[in-house]
Amino acid sequence: MEEYHSGDEVSFNPDEASNAVKECIEGVIGGVDYSQNKVNQWTASIVEHSLTQLVKQGKPFKYIVNCAIMQKSGAGLHTANSCYWDTTTDGSCTVRWENRTMYCVVSVFAVAVNL
């Protein structure tokens, strides 16, 4: 991991994080149809791959990654997040992805580590 100097403020970049998460989602479920038997494996894989890619960016953040996969059935899905943090450094992003059989929603929260 890179070394950071105290006083250097790094802000969370939601676009970079979203792109990394989208790549992970595509890599795990991009070409498949919904399968109840595989959902637990898919969600675990998406959060682990996303977390790995975020950490590889080498920025001083603690990350929280949450993933929900839902079969398309006409039912509604509503999510909400709320955070109390330093808005100058910390941040979050939510990626919504879908194919013809399912929805995937991944939320990333990044909290700056003061070194």
Side-chain angles (χ1 to χ4, degrees):
M1 189 164 149
E2 289 182 37
E3 198 171 302
Y4 298 98
H5 305 287
S6 61
D8 291 348
E9 280 203 6
V10 177
S11 295
F12 177 69
N13 185 328
D15 293 331
E16 282 181 12
S18 293
N19 289 337
V21 168
K22 285 175 192 171
E23 288 178 18
C24 294
I25 295 170
E26 285 289 337
V28 175
I29 58 174
V32 299
D33 287 338
Y34 180 85
S35 171
Q36 182 178 351
N37 297 332
K38 295 183 180 176
V39 167
N40 287 340
Q41 176 186 340
W42 291 339
T43 54
S45 185
I46 289 168
V47 297
E48 289 300 324
H49 284 94
S50 296
L51 191 56
T52 299
Q53 293 306 311
L54 292 165
V55 170
K56 279 184 183 177
Q57 293 177 356
K59 297 185 179 173
F61 292 104
K62 290 184 179 183
Y63 294 102
I64 301 157
V65 181
N66 181 22
C67 177
I69 294 177
M70 180 178 167
Q71 183 177 15
K72 281 190 175 179
S73 64
L77 173 65
H78 303 272
T79 64
N81 299 309
S82 180
C83 302
Y84 178 74
W85 56 22
D86 184 349
T87 57
T88 60
T89 56
D90 307 337
S92 67
C93 68
T94 299
V95 176
R96 294 165 212 58
W97 180 93
E98 68 180 277
N99 67 12
R100 65 183 188 84
T101 62
M102 65 182 134
Y103 299 102
C104 179
V105 179
V106 177
S107 294
V108 175
F109 303 91
V111 180
V113 177
N114 295 326
L115 300 174

